[in-house]
Amino acid sequence: MKVIKVGGGGGIDYEAFCKDLSTHQDFVLVHGGSALLNEVSQKLGHPPRFVTSVSGHESRFTDRRTLELFNMVYAGHTNKMIVEHLQRLGVNAVGLSGLDVRLVEGRQKTALKVIENGKKVVLRGDHSGKIQTINAKLLHLLLDNGYVPVLTPPAISTEGVAINVDGDRFAGQVAVALQAQVLLLLSNVPGLLKTLADEASLIAHIAYEDIDTYIEQVAKGRMKKKLLGAKEALSGGVNKVVLGDARGAGPVSAALAEQGTVIG
Amino acid sequence: MKVIKVGGGGGIDYEAFCKDLSTHQDFVLVHGGSALLNEVSQKLGHPPRFVTSVSGHESRFTDRRTLELFNMVYAGHTNKMIVEHLQRLGVNAVGLSGLDVRLVEGRQKTALKVIENGKKVVLRGDHSGKIQTINAKLLHLLLDNGYVPVLTPPAISTEGVAINVDGDRFAGQVAVALQAQVLLLLSNVPGLLKTLADEASLIAHIAYEDIDTYIEQVAKGRMKKKLLGAKEALSGGVNKVVLGDARGAGPVSAALAEQGTVIG
C-alpha cells in the first residue's frame, strides 16, 4: 500500500499527474488545494489570512467563511476534478473528505496563539485543529472492493465541527492507519532544498534521527509541515517517505524511484 | 428504504431540515444547490445562463467553467455542509457525487437545441446529459455497513466527462435502483400549485395516469422536472412520491405524513 499526497500549491498539471498515477496500483491519494483557495477567497471578497504561531509555524487562519470556501475548493473543485480524471483513465476513484463518516477526527483549536507585529496575540474563531484519529474502516471496505479513495481535508472535530488540518500530516496519518510501506509527498518543488531559490541544492536523504534538525535549521514554511508529516508517518510504522516533485513527467514513478528527498 | 431529495432553491434552513431528517432511519439523501450556484457564478464573473429547449424545458447551460463552479457549490459547499450537520446529529453520513465510482452514469448532450428570441438555435459545448445507469453496488455496501449516503449531481458520461443532470430525476433514478418505497421531493414550495402565486392552491393528489396532463397543463419551470422525476420513479417500481415543503418545521416528517402533493 502506498499513500500519495499531491499538493495544491500551483504549477501542477493534474491531468498529467493522474495519467502517471493511473499506471500504478494499490494506493490512496490525498490532495491539497491552497493556491486555488487563495484565488477564490480573494475573488469572493474574503482574502486569505496567514498567521505565524508562537512555535514558528505558518498556517491559514480559518474562520467559518474560510472553511466554507475551503470545502468548495478542496472537496468540490479539486477532489471531483481528480476523480473525473481518474475515472476517465479507468481508475475507479471515490472522493471523500475527512468529514465523511468522520474519516479523520481531531481536536479543534478555537484560539490560536500567534505572533503579529512582534507581539503575542490570541486569535479566536479559528476552525483548524490537530488530527487524533483515522477511522479507517470505510477505507478498508473501499479498498477491499476495488475502489480507490481520493481524500481531502477538512477533518471533523469530536463535536462534529469541520476543521482545517494540514494536508501533509493528514496524508501521514492515513499512511499510518493503513500501514502503508511508502508515503509520497509531492508538491511544486523537487524536495527539501538547502537553498530555497536553488533547485539544484536538493537534499537527497534525511535519516529519521535527523528530521528535527532539518525542521529547525533548513526547512521553511510548508516544508516544516511536510517533515513533520514524514516524521509522524515513520514513527507510526511507514517504511519510507519521499518528498518529490509533482510537476514533471511521471511524477509518481519518479518519486517511487527515489527522485526527491528520501526520508527514513 | 426512502429516498429524500432536498432542493437548493433558496429559503431552506438546512440545519433545521437535517435535525428533522436525523429522527428518521433507512434513507438516502439527494440534494441540490442551484440558488447558491447562481450567486457564486455571478460573483466569480461567470453569470448563469438558462435556456429553454425546443420541448419547452428550462435548463442551465453548463459550459466547462459552469461545471467547475457546479462541483464547487454542490459537491463542495452544500454536500459537506449537510454531512457536517448530520454527523453532529449522530447520523454517519458520507457525501458522494455521481462522479464517484461512476455512481450515476449518463449520456452527454454536447449540442442543445434551444429556442432563443423565438428561433431554434443549436448551442455547443454543453456539459449536461441524461441519466442512463445507477451503479448501486457502493450504495448497498455503504447502507449495509450503517453509513448514510448523501448524494449530489453531477453525473458522469460513459466517456468519463462530468455532466450536469437534473437533481429530481437523479433522486428518482436512485429510488428506482434501491427499490425505495417512497421518494420525497422537497423544495421551497408546498407542492404542485394550481396557481403559482397562491400557496393555498395546492394539488393534494395526482394519479399516475394523470401525470403527463399535469406536466403539460399545470406545472411550470422546475415543477415539470419534478413531475418527470416522479413519473420515472413510479414507473420504475417506487410506490409513492410526495412533493413537499422543505422550509417548515419537521419537513421530512410532514412529507411522510403526506403533506404536499402525493403522486401515485
Side-chain angles (χ1 to χ4, degrees):
Chain A
M1 170 59 54
K2 298 174 278 291
V3 172
I4 301 167
K5 158 89 196 301
V6 59
I12 297 166
D13 177 346
Y14 288 99
E15 194 167 0
F17 173 84
C18 287
K19 205 166 177 185
D20 181 41
L21 184 64
S22 72
T23 65
H24 297 276
Q25 287 187 321
D26 204 24
F27 63 84
V28 167
L29 183 67
V30 178
H31 66 82
S34 56
L36 185 62
L37 177 54
N38 293 346
E39 188 189 319
V40 169
S41 301
Q42 198 79 46
K43 283 188 183 163
L44 288 176
H46 195 77
R49 180 178 177 190
F50 291 93
V51 293
T52 304
S53 71
V54 289
S55 50
H57 290 285
E58 194 186 57
S59 66
R60 186 186 296 276
F61 181 69
T62 311
D63 58 12
R64 183 68 202 181
R65 176 69 181 139
T66 301
L67 190 87
E68 285 178 19
L69 300 172
F70 190 104
N71 275 339
M72 286 173 68
V73 169
Y74 282 68
H77 179 277
T78 304
N79 191 270
K80 296 317 168 198
M81 179 260 292
I82 289 175
V83 167
E84 186 188 8
H85 282 318
L86 289 176
Q87 284 292 348
R88 203 177 305 151
L89 291 158
V91 178
N92 205 358
V94 50
L96 296 168
S97 76
L99 297 169
D100 299 295
V101 309
R102 292 180 175 263
L103 202 62
V104 181
E105 249 183 306
R107 208 181 59 240
Q108 186 181 0
K109 290 180 282 188
T110 50
L112 277 187
K113 283 177 203 153
V114 303
I115 304 286
E116 275 189 332
N117 304 321
K119 280 186 189 166
K120 279 190 198 176
V121 181
V122 176
L123 290 180
R124 303 207 176 267
D126 188 46
H127 287 73
S128 69
K130 195 173 177 302
I131 296 168
Q132 290 180 309
T133 320
I134 306 288
N135 298 309
K137 186 189 153 195
L138 178 60
L139 291 183
H140 288 297
L141 198 65
L142 293 170
L143 291 165
D144 290 349
N145 281 275
Y147 301 118
V148 175
V150 177
L151 309 179
T152 180
I156 190 166
S157 75
T158 317
E159 293 76 23
V161 177
I163 48 174
N164 182 2
V165 295
D166 179 67
D168 293 308
R169 296 172 76 180
F170 181 119
Q173 292 302 317
V174 169
V176 169
L178 296 178
Q179 286 296 296
Q181 284 84 49
V182 60
L183 167 66
L184 307 182
L185 298 176
L186 309 182
S187 67
N188 56 359
V189 287
L192 182 62
L193 304 175
K194 230 174 256 167
T195 312
L196 210 59
D198 178 11
E199 296 210 349
S201 70
L202 180 76
I203 293 159
H205 184 252
I206 296 173
Y208 178 77
E209 53 274 18
D210 296 334
I211 298 177
D212 283 339
T213 312
Y214 279 92
I215 291 177
E216 286 158 26
Q217 297 177 6
V218 180
K220 305 259 182 291
R222 294 226 26 84
M223 268 296 152
K224 282 182 191 283
K225 294 271 177 73
K226 287 192 193 296
L227 289 182
L228 212 53
K231 187 184 169 189
E232 288 167 358
L234 292 167
S235 71
V238 176
N239 295 339
K240 187 169 73 178
V241 180
V242 183
L243 309 185
D245 200 327
R247 298 167 303 174
V252 176
S253 307
L256 287 173
E258 303 201 342
Q259 285 181 37
T261 301
V262 179
I263 311 173
Chain B
M1 168 60 55
K2 298 174 278 292
V3 172
I4 301 166
K5 158 87 197 299
V6 60
I12 297 166
D13 178 346
Y14 288 99
E15 192 166 1
F17 173 84
C18 287
K19 204 167 177 184
D20 181 40
L21 184 63
S22 71
T23 65
H24 297 276
Q25 286 187 322
D26 204 22
F27 63 84
V28 167
L29 183 68
V30 178
H31 67 82
S34 57
L36 185 61
L37 176 54
N38 293 346
E39 188 189 318
V40 168
S41 300
Q42 198 80 48
K43 283 188 183 161
L44 289 177
H46 195 77
R49 179 179 176 189
F50 291 94
V51 293
T52 304
S53 72
V54 288
S55 51
H57 290 286
E58 195 187 56
S59 66
R60 185 186 297 275
F61 181 68
T62 311
D63 58 12
R64 184 67 203 183
R65 176 71 180 139
T66 301
L67 191 88
E68 286 178 17
L69 300 172
F70 190 104
N71 276 338
M72 286 172 69
V73 169
Y74 283 67
H77 179 277
T78 304
N79 190 271
K80 296 317 168 199
M81 178 260 291
I82 289 175
V83 166
E84 185 187 8
H85 282 318
L86 289 176
Q87 284 291 349
R88 204 178 304 152
L89 290 158
V91 178
N92 204 357
V94 50
L96 295 169
S97 77
L99 298 169
D100 299 295
V101 309
R102 292 179 175 263
L103 201 61
V104 182
E105 250 184 305
R107 207 181 60 239
Q108 187 181 359
K109 290 179 281 189
T110 49
L112 276 187
K113 283 178 202 153
V114 304
I115 304 285
E116 274 189 333
N117 304 320
K119 280 187 189 164
K120 278 190 198 175
V121 182
V122 176
L123 290 181
R124 304 207 175 268
D126 189 47
H127 286 73
S128 69
K130 195 174 178 300
I131 295 168
Q132 292 179 308
T133 319
I134 306 287
N135 298 310
K137 186 189 153 196
L138 178 61
L139 292 183
H140 288 296
L141 198 66
L142 293 170
L143 291 164
D144 290 349
N145 282 276
Y147 302 118
V148 175
V150 177
L151 308 179
T152 180
I156 190 166
S157 75
T158 317
E159 294 76 23
V161 176
I163 48 175
N164 181 4
V165 294
D166 180 67
D168 294 308
R169 296 174 75 181
F170 181 118
Q173 292 302 317
V174 168
V176 170
L178 296 178
Q179 286 296 296
Q181 283 83 50
V182 60
L183 168 66
L184 307 182
L185 298 176
L186 309 181
S187 66
N188 55 359
V189 288
L192 182 63
L193 304 174
K194 230 175 254 163
T195 312
L196 211 59
D198 178 11
E199 297 210 347
S201 71
L202 180 76
I203 294 159
H205 183 252
I206 296 174
Y208 177 76
E209 52 275 19
D210 297 333
I211 298 177
D212 282 338
T213 312
Y214 279 92
I215 291 177
E216 285 157 27
Q217 297 177 7
V218 181
K220 304 259 184 293
R222 294 225 27 83
M223 268 295 152
K224 282 182 191 280
K225 295 272 178 73
K226 288 192 192 298
L227 289 183
L228 212 51
K231 187 184 167 190
E232 288 168 357
L234 292 167
S235 70
V238 175
N239 296 338
K240 187 170 72 177
V241 180
V242 183
L243 310 185
D245 201 326
R247 297 167 303 176
V252 176
S253 309
L256 286 174
E258 303 202 342
Q259 284 181 37
T261 301
V262 180
I263 311 173

